[in-house]
Amino acid sequence: GARTSRWKHFVLSMLLLWGSWMLTNLIPFFKDMVSIIGALCGSPIMIGLPPLFYYFALKKQRRVMGKKDFVICAFLFFVLFPFTFGGGL
């Protein structure tokens, strides 16, 4: 019933909260590790992958990318992405 699922949700939430707290306090370099993961993953996810997804979506539909879209995607992928990726590290 609803009471059981609320209880399970509460217990799982508290276990997740406790586990997160333990992880952050037991690993002394946790802040640095999160920063490195963010630097390695943030730039590709936000700037590098969207132009690639757009290109492959158009390719799958057998459509040609317009010049304006091509310039924007090229700028994002070949200029902004390497700059932000290198700056993040």
Side-chain angles (χ1 to χ4, degrees):
R3 182 171 268 185
T4 303
S5 63
R6 285 183 186 172
W7 175 250
K8 286 181 184 178
H9 183 272
F10 175 76
V11 170
L12 289 174
S13 297
M14 288 300 115
L15 285 173
L16 182 63
L17 182 65
W18 178 79
S20 301
W21 183 82
M22 289 297 290
L23 179 69
T24 57
N25 287 311
L26 290 177
I27 300 176
F29 59 88
F30 187 77
K31 179 183 172 190
D32 298 330
M33 182 178 72
V34 170
S35 297
I36 290 173
I37 292 170
L40 290 174
C41 299
S43 180
I45 289 172
M46 292 183 287
I47 298 172
L49 293 178
L52 284 178
F53 291 157
Y54 181 64
Y55 170 76
F56 286 120
L58 288 178
K59 187 175 178 181
K60 186 175 181 178
Q61 295 175 355
R62 299 178 202 265
R63 293 176 49 199
V64 178
M65 187 183 294
K67 288 183 182 181
K68 181 181 174 184
D69 291 340
F70 179 77
V71 169
I72 292 171
C73 287
F75 176 75
L76 285 173
F77 192 74
F78 294 111
V79 177
L80 198 57
F81 167 61
F83 177 74
T84 56
F85 185 73
L89 293 178

